C-alpha cells in the first residue's frame, strides 16, 4: 500500500469526522458561540486552556488573524506544549492534583468570564480540576473533548469524573480512544491522529458563531486582522486600545 493511498485514507477519515461534528454538534456549537457572545456583550473576558497537544487548538484561537481579540490563553507552565524538556514532564503535570487551582488563583480569570477547556481524553486531573475550580469562581466553562473516553477509560481525578461532567457546555470531537485513524498489517501500532484538525475546526466554528451573534446584536465583533495585509496593524491597534482591559497577552 502506497503512502499516497494512506494519505487519502487519512483525509477521508478527517473529512468524515469534520462532517460528523458539523452535523451532530451543530446545536452545541451554536450554544457555545452564543455563550461567548453573551460574555463579550456583558463585559466579560474570554480564556482558552489546553495541555500538551490539546493546547494547539487553544492557542489557535488566541491572537489570531480573523479571530476574536478577547480570547486569552490560560497557560500552565510546563504543560502548554512539547517545548518543555523532557516532553514527558508535560504529561506528568496533567496528573498533578492542585495545579489547576493554583494557576487559576494567580490568573486574571474571574466571575463572569468564559473559559474554553480543551482535553481530548478529559480524564486527567488538570482539566477536570480546572473546570471544577473555574465554575466555582462563577466562570462559564465550555469543554472540548472526546466523550468516548469517559466510557472506555478510567478517570485520573480523585472524583472519578471527567471534564465533560463539569462544563456548562460540551463539544464532542468524536475522536476514537487512542487518537489514531489508520492501521496497517505491517505497522504494529495505529497511527495518523486527527484530533488537532477536528478540535481546531470545532473551535473556529464556535468563534465564527460568536462573531455573527455579536453582529446580530449591533455589536462590532472585536476581530483581529492579519498584520501582513495593508492596514492590519492599524486596525489591530484600535482593537487593542478599545479592549485593553480584557486582553492579557499584550501585558
Amino acid at each position: 500500500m502506497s503512502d499516497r493511498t494512506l494519505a487519502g485514507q487519512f483525509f477521508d477519515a478527517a473529512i468524515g469526522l469534520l462532517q460528523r461534528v458539523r452535523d451532530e454538534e451543530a446545536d452545541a456549537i451554536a450554544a457555545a458561540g452564543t455563550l461567548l457572545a453573551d460574555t463579550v456583550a456583558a463585559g466579560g473576558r474570554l480564556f482558552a486552556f489546553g495541555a500538551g497537544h490539546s493546547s494547539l487548538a487553544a492557542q489557535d484561537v488566541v491572537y489570531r488573524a480573523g479571530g476574536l481579540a478577547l480570547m486569552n490563553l490560560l497557560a500552565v507552565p510546563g504543560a502548554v506544549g512539547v517545548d518543555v524538556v523532557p516532553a514527558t514532564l508535560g504529561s506528568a503535570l496533567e496528573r498533578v492534583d492542585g495545579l489547576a487551582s493554583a494557576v487559576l488563583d494567580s490568573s486574571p480569570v474571574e466571575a463572569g468570564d468564559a473559559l474554553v477547556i480543551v482535553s481530548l481524553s478529559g480524564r486527567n486531573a488538570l482539566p477536570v480540576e480546572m473546570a471544577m475550580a473555574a465554575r466555582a469562581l462563577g466562570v462559564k466553562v465550555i469543554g472540548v473533548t472526546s466523550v468516548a473516553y469517559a466510557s472506555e477509560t478510567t478517570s485520573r481525578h480523585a472524583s472519578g469524573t471527567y471534564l465533560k461532567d463539569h462544563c456548562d457546555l460540551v463539544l464532542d470531537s468524536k475522536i476514537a480512544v487512542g487518537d489514531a485513524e489508520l492501521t496497517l498489517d505491517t505497522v504494529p501500532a495505529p497511527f495518523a491522529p486527527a484530533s488537532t484538525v477536528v478540535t481546531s475546526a470545532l473551535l473556529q466554528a464556535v468563534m465564527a458563531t460568536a462573531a455573527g451573534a455579536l453582529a446580530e446584536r449591533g455589536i462590532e465583533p472585536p476581530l483581529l486582522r492579519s498584520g501582513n495585509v495593508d492596514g492590519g496593524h492599524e486596525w489591530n491597534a484600535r482593537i487593542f486600545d478599545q479592549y485593553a482591559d480584557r486582553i492579557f497577552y499584550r501585558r
Side-chain angles (χ1 to χ4, degrees):
M1 187 174 291
S2 69
D3 288 341
R4 183 176 182 181
T5 301
L6 288 173
Q9 289 181 0
F10 175 76
F11 281 120
D12 287 344
I15 290 169
L17 285 164
L18 289 170
Q19 290 175 331
R20 283 191 65 194
V21 297
R22 178 195 64 191
D23 298 338
E24 299 173 21
E25 298 300 298
D27 290 344
I29 290 169
T34 299
L35 189 156
L36 295 187
D38 289 344
T39 304
V40 172
R45 294 84 59 80
L46 309 180
F47 296 86
F49 164 77
H53 285 92
S54 289
S55 179
L56 295 176
Q59 292 180 61
D60 191 49
V61 295
V62 176
Y63 186 47
R64 188 71 164 85
L68 292 174
L70 304 193
M71 185 60 71
N72 300 277
L73 185 66
L74 181 61
V76 176
V80 175
V82 294
D83 57 327
V84 62
V85 178
T88 51
L89 174 60
S91 298
L93 289 174
E94 290 187 63
R95 300 191 288 273
V96 175
D97 293 330
L99 181 56
S101 295
V103 169
L104 277 174
D105 288 344
S106 60
S107 79
V109 178
E110 62 186 26
D113 293 342
L115 171 61
V116 177
I117 300 178
V118 184
S119 175
L120 177 60
S121 72
R123 69 188 295 228
N124 288 309
L126 186 54
V128 174
E129 182 186 334
M130 186 74 75
M132 295 173 70
R135 293 184 83 191
L137 288 174
V139 175
K140 295 294 186 181
V141 175
I142 299 171
V144 187
T145 187
S146 171
V147 173
Y149 276 82
S151 60
E152 300 181 39
T153 67
T154 302
S155 171
R156 288 176 173 152
H157 188 261
S159 66
T161 60
Y162 298 77
L163 170 61
K164 73 176 187 63
D165 300 317
H166 305 284
C167 299
D168 295 280
L169 290 169
V170 174
L171 300 176
D172 184 3
S173 63
K174 317 293 181 181
I175 299 295
V177 173
D179 193 17
E181 294 301 319
L182 303 182
T183 59
L184 200 59
D185 291 342
T186 53
V187 178
F191 55 101
S195 60
T196 303
V197 173
V198 176
T199 305
S200 291
L202 261 174
L203 285 184
Q204 291 298 349
V206 170
M207 298 302 127
T209 302
L214 286 168
E216 287 178 359
R217 304 177 196 190
I219 301 172
E220 180 189 339
L223 297 169
L224 294 174
R225 288 188 170 181
S226 171
N228 295 313
V229 299
D230 291 344
H233 288 301
E234 291 76 13
W235 173 281
N236 292 341
R238 176 178 67 85
I239 297 295
F240 290 150
D241 288 342
Q242 183 176 351
Y243 292 96
D245 60 332
R246 291 195 260 175
I247 295 174
F248 301 96
Y249 50 81
R250 298 184 71 236
R251 299 179 182 177

